[in-house]
Amino acid sequence: MRRFFVRPEEITGETILLTGPEVHHLRVVLRLQPGSNIELFDGTGTIYQAEVQNLTPDSIRGRIIQKYVELVHDPFPVTLAQGILKGKKMDVVVQKATELGVATLIPVLSCYCEAGKNLERRIDRWQRVVLESCKQCGRANPMRISSVQELADISVAAFPYPVFCWEKEKRSFLTPGYLAVPGQVLLLIGPEGGFNDQEVEWATDNNFQSVRLGPYVLRAETAALAAVSIVKYLGSLAGTDGDN
């Protein structure tokens, strides 16, 4: 059953009053009728099974049949600190990071970033991408997108596993056994131009583990997805479920 997003304020008791763009999709594209069953999530981890009772051009009213909380234990939650990428490349990172189970995304301003104008509008778009990705992959707890931060303002102390993906690293790779005791992972990925010498020095001074992701230089968006996938796999090798 396909999953749709309902805002918590659209739920009253056992009734759901769905508004916004989901209404058009359900009415016009999927042609739902009264009596149809739908599945919804509210972004807090709660899943609802509901029966459609009434449809109008602006809203859909449904009766909650069943609800449950989707509990997920992630012993190695990943925060992705991503240098802001140009255009739709950042959309791709947001989409795939959501699908891969990243807990939090920090959009990072660094020396070689070209964030462009209308950054607030871009953040709003990324939030929409997260919700669309959650509907597609069945994730009940959306990835959190933090406020934009300068690289030097990132608080590293809370992360037992700070990892700095750097194309000039020659010796160090993420290997089995790196993740041992459960704890938060911070993945730092640069923008298209990478990091300058001062930023590399900052990462070193803040005890980041510098790693290379393979023998080739990866595009920034590829590096982010490769790093997340590797960390999730290493989490599974630690004998625990690393899915988010």
Side-chain angles (χ1 to χ4, degrees):
M1 186 181 298
R2 295 183 64 175
R3 187 174 288 184
F4 302 91
F5 178 67
V6 58
R7 294 187 295 272
E9 59 267 26
E10 295 178 326
I11 303 169
T12 304
E14 298 302 312
T15 299
I16 289 175
L17 185 63
L18 198 62
T19 60
E22 295 284 41
V23 173
H24 174 82
H25 186 69
L26 288 165
R27 283 186 66 255
V28 178
V29 180
L30 299 181
R31 299 182 180 275
L32 258 65
Q33 300 295 325
S36 300
N37 289 341
I38 56 175
E39 184 175 85
L40 307 106
F41 72 106
D42 65 2
T44 70
T46 303
I47 308 298
Y48 302 87
Q49 303 283 344
E51 179 185 11
V52 175
Q53 294 180 311
N54 183 54
L55 300 94
T56 73
D58 301 317
S59 67
I60 295 175
R61 184 182 300 275
R63 177 178 63 87
I64 296 174
I65 301 171
Q66 182 184 12
K67 68 177 180 180
Y68 61 93
V69 176
E70 190 170 280
L71 298 175
V72 178
H73 173 62
D74 187 354
F76 301 103
V78 175
T79 292
L80 175 61
Q82 172 67 59
I84 297 175
L85 306 178
K86 300 176 185 176
K88 293 186 177 180
K89 293 179 182 179
M90 194 70 179
D91 293 1
V92 171
V93 170
V94 171
Q95 180 190 66
K96 301 308 179 186
T98 301
E99 294 176 15
L100 289 169
V102 170
T104 303
L105 174 72
I106 303 175
V108 177
L109 284 172
S110 59
C111 179
Y112 297 133
C113 282
E114 295 185 20
K117 299 178 181 179
N118 300 318
L119 192 52
E120 290 186 3
R121 186 179 300 175
R122 293 190 72 190
I123 293 173
D124 288 341
R125 174 175 172 78
W126 299 336
Q127 298 283 9
R128 294 194 299 272
V129 170
V130 168
L131 290 179
E132 289 300 318
S133 299
C134 285
K135 290 192 290 184
Q136 181 274 321
C137 72
R139 180 173 173 175
N141 292 280
M143 179 177 70
R144 173 178 170 267
I145 298 181
S146 81
S147 58
V148 175
Q149 297 185 36
E150 298 281 348
L151 180 63
D153 293 334
I154 297 175
S155 178
V156 185
F159 297 91
Y161 302 106
V163 178
F164 169 49
C165 299
W166 188 38
E167 71 279 2
K168 294 182 181 179
E169 174 61 55
K170 301 299 183 183
R171 295 168 296 177
S172 181
F173 296 85
L174 285 171
T175 57
Y178 174 69
L179 299 179
V181 179
Q184 297 187 72
V185 180
L186 175 62
L187 286 176
L188 178 59
I189 310 289
E192 287 92 340
F195 294 109
N196 65 21
D197 292 343
Q198 290 75 26
E199 291 166 340
V200 172
E201 183 178 358
W202 174 87
T204 302
D205 291 344
N206 281 274
N207 299 315
F208 275 83
Q209 171 69 50
S210 175
V211 299
R212 187 177 177 88
L213 296 175
Y216 307 116
V217 176
L218 304 180
R219 292 179 181 271
E221 63 271 31
T222 307
L225 306 182
V228 171
S229 299
I230 291 170
V231 166
K232 287 292 182 178
Y233 177 65
L234 294 182
S236 70
L237 292 183
T240 51
D241 183 4
D243 292 339
N244 192 46

